[in-house]
Amino acid sequence: MTRYADIPKPIRSGLVIVDPERGTPQRIIVLQFNPDTLERSVAPQAAGGEGGGGGGDSGGDRNEALRLKGPAQESWKFTAEIDATDQLDVAAPNGIHPQLAVLEMLVQPTTAQLRAASHLSKKGTIEISPIETPLTLFTWGSKRVMPVRLTELSVNESAFDVNLNPIRAALSIGLKVLTVSDLPAGHRGAELYLAHLAQKEQLARAAQGGSFAQLGLGRGI
């Protein structure tokens, strides 16, 4: 008889917040449930610009038709669920407010950063650099670990406790994968992207190739 203890626990997807200079993890966010579906979009950065297709009036340079000017632009979308009632062994006096706040702070500067910027403005600083957020990594198993920027966070709260703390919510999350085109040379995120791309190349080499016969081209091309 198979015991429940013998069943391996599924690996969870999540986010890791990293100090970009030291490379040390600041916080690990484990999604309570793995999303049922993932929507990914991969768009090439064509050197000839958009519309370099077939017609003579496309406006593209014919010499650039097969050239790429950088890594593909990749985005992810999925729905994550948080449910305090599924974790009855974990005290939740604030409902799921803490979990929601952690995700929302990925797109918010801290009060300390805002106060510092305000202080510089009052001192008459002409140019104030935009506030830099920590480096965020999205993980989907060991073969998908990539630097990302949160581009969309839509929260649908569907249940509340007696104190109106949310206890169940569905979150629509959008992520943009950051590449060497988005990050400065030598940035830790750029190195992590290159490691992610190298692993993708390794997986592509492991795929079995087809044959001309399967394409109905017995004589080749």
Side-chain angles (χ1 to χ4, degrees), residues 16-149:
V16 181
I17 312 304
V18 178
D19 184 315
E21 295 184 359
R22 300 181 179 87
T24 54
Q26 296 180 329
R27 181 183 287 272
I28 298 175
I29 305 171
V30 180
L31 297 183
Q32 185 178 356
F33 307 103
N34 286 330
D36 292 329
T37 61
L38 292 173
E39 179 183 346
R40 297 198 300 127
S41 173
V42 183
Q45 288 197 68
E50 298 180 357
D57 58 349
S58 63
D61 187 341
R62 296 180 181 180
N63 294 324
E64 304 291 333
L66 300 179
R67 296 184 183 275
L68 299 174
K69 60 182 179 181
Q73 297 176 336
E74 184 175 354
S75 61
W76 291 56
K77 286 186 177 182
F78 58 89
T79 299
E81 297 182 359
I82 305 176
D83 190 347
T85 62
D86 194 68
Q87 295 179 320
L88 296 178
D89 56 331
V90 179
N94 298 312
I96 59 173
H97 270 308
Q99 294 93 321
L100 295 177
V102 166
L103 292 171
E104 290 176 33
M105 287 308 299
L106 295 179
V107 294
Q108 294 273 18
T110 65
T111 54
Q113 289 172 324
L114 291 173
R115 291 183 188 279
S118 177
H119 179 67
L120 290 174
S121 178
K122 290 179 180 178
K123 287 179 61 177
T125 303
I126 297 176
E127 183 176 353
I128 301 175
S129 299
I131 296 172
E132 183 175 0
T133 61
L135 175 63
T136 302
L137 305 179
F138 176 63
T139 71
W140 186 271
S142 61
K143 295 179 178 61
R144 288 173 169 174
V145 180
M146 64 209 84
V148 297
R149 174 188 292 131

